[in-house]
Amino acid sequence: MLSVLQTIWGVFLHMFRRRVTVQYPEQQVYHPPRFRGRIILSRDPDGGERCVACYLCSVTCPVDCIALQATEDEHGRRYPAFFRINFSRCIF
Amino acid sequence: MLGETIRLLIIVFGVLIVALSTAAGLIWLERRLLGLWQDRYGPNRVGPFGLLQVLADMIKVFAKEDWTPPFADAVVFVVAPAVIIVSVAMSFTIIPFAPGTAVVDLDIGVLFFLGMSSFGAYSVALAGWASDNKYSLLGGLRAAAQMISYEVFMGLSLMGVVMQAGSFNLSTIVEAQRNLWFCVPQILGLIVFAQAGVAETRRVPFDLPEAESELVAGYHSEYSGMKFGMFFVGEYLGITLISALMTTLFFGGWMGPVLPPIVWFSLKTLLLICVFVLLRASLPRLRFDQLMAYGWKVMLPLALLNLVVTGGILIATG
């Protein structure tokens, strides 16, 4: 019986606690500075891929879900022959 | 004569409108308070402080398909939700909100309330039975057992108050608390009545008839649209009613300094409603055998003890 009253009192005291809800659109959660969000392959204004096939993303990816193959075009510019993201493995 | 009729009409419709809008407002209040006690916000998007949530919910519930299952006993199925609203709304007629402001000044006020609350038990039991669904039936059976057994000592717990005031009339009972509110000499009665009241409105921790984690939604599993809405409003009306009665019987009704009587009455009632919500925020549901054992082995003896002690003291002091 006493424990019931203690429970009620304990819940009542929660009135004075801070709420944990984040009011999302107005209030943003903290993002670490290096947070990049969902993985995308960005394009230049003409619609071509901006990737120079440096493999950095592939190396960084903790679950190794990015696969690409580098080649060069006739001007010596590097570009990926293929660029694959395994979304079934991606942890974002 | 005409003035008297108009006054009465104003009281009748005033009580009805205030009771129904309080019940509607409680939907919002309960969710906000639950949020507050669970460290979150509750509905706060629709309108200022989320107040228009009630309106949005109402539009939604009216727009829903009002479906009667083909296997249900159609007549009883439709009547059951109406019964709960009628029985609770009828009980509001006897409550004195301020001196001389009650729909009827019944000399058997307390008895009338007890009768009406028994009547309300029909609604839930019939709804469970008419749905022809095993979960509904279980909910209805539980509700019937729970409400009938908790009614026994709900009545008994009020007898102490009646003995002290010497009347079943609620206005007289309030007047009798001019010197000392009954919550002090009748503390046992208050404790028993409060718990019986929670059981009678089928609220947590006595919400076994609904018990959504085991019985889908209990007796109103098969109800949709506004028929479901009526059970919902009936529940909130019930909370308001029990709080108003507790105010009247134990906390001096409209009595209080400075502020006008109606304000005191509303404040006390609102506070008690918040206690109802606090109970919901903090307590888990009882098991069915615990509920019955608690009722018959703890609450009933307590109510009888209160009755005997009050009677003894009243006789001793003449």
Side-chain angles (χ1 to χ4, degrees), chain B residues 7 30 51 57 60 72 100 106 117 121-122 126 159 161 164 171 182 185 189 198 238 248 250 287 300 306 316-318:
Chain B
R7 194 182 109 82
E30 168 157 53
L51 265 170
D57 283 351
K60 179 191 161 199
L106 269 188
S117 94
Y122 276 114
L126 286 179
M159 289 310 116
V161 170
Q164 279 209 311
S171 305
F182 282 155
V198 177
T248 312
F250 294 98
R287 215 170 51 217
L300 183 67
N306 180 49
T317 57

Side-chain angles (χ1 to χ4, degrees), chain B residues 69-144:
Chain B
F71 47 82
D73 186 335
V75 178
V76 184
F77 189 82
V78 174
V79 168
V83 169
I84 195 162
I85 299 257
V86 168
S87 69
V88 180
M90 290 285 271
S91 300
F92 270 102
T93 56
I94 54 158
I95 291 172
F97 296 92
T101 310
V103 177
V104 276
D105 202 15
L106 269 188
D107 281 335
I108 52 155
V110 175
L111 287 181
F112 183 80
F113 155 68
L114 290 171
M116 276 301 143
S117 94
S118 309
F119 187 49
Y122 276 114
S123 162
V124 182
L126 286 179
W129 180 75
S131 300
D132 199 8
N133 166 330
K134 60 189 169 195
Y135 294 115
S136 299
L137 186 60
L138 276 173
L141 285 176
R142 285 181 178 190

Side-chain angles (χ1 to χ4, degrees), chain B residues 103 134 198 208 211 219 249 283-284:
Chain B
V103 177
K134 60 189 169 195
V198 177
L208 292 104
Y219 60 91
L249 295 165
L283 294 181

Side-chain angles (χ1 to χ4, degrees), chain B residues 153 192 294-307:
Chain B
F153 49 85
V192 175
Y294 186 64
W296 291 107
K297 291 181 188 164
V298 182
M299 289 288 105
L300 183 67
L302 260 184
L304 286 173
L305 180 73
N306 180 49
L307 197 65

Side-chain angles (χ1 to χ4, degrees), chain A residues 1 4 7-8 11-15 17-27, chain B residues 32-33 35-42 44-45 195 278-279 281-284 294:
Chain A
M1 199 61 219
V4 170
T7 308
I8 296 173
V11 171
F12 179 76
L13 288 182
H14 267 264
M15 200 148 90
R17 294 264 189 98
R18 221 166 52 83
R19 306 182 205 234
V20 293
T21 313
V22 177
Q23 304 255 49
Y24 170 61
E26 296 93 40
Q27 211 181 331
Chain B
R32 283 311 297 258
L33 282 179
L36 182 66
W37 282 315
Q38 293 167 354
D39 296 343
R40 56 190 178 87
Y41 282 92
N44 64 348
R45 294 279 154 176
Q195 297 183 26
L278 178 59
L279 283 182
S282 43
L283 294 181
Y294 186 64

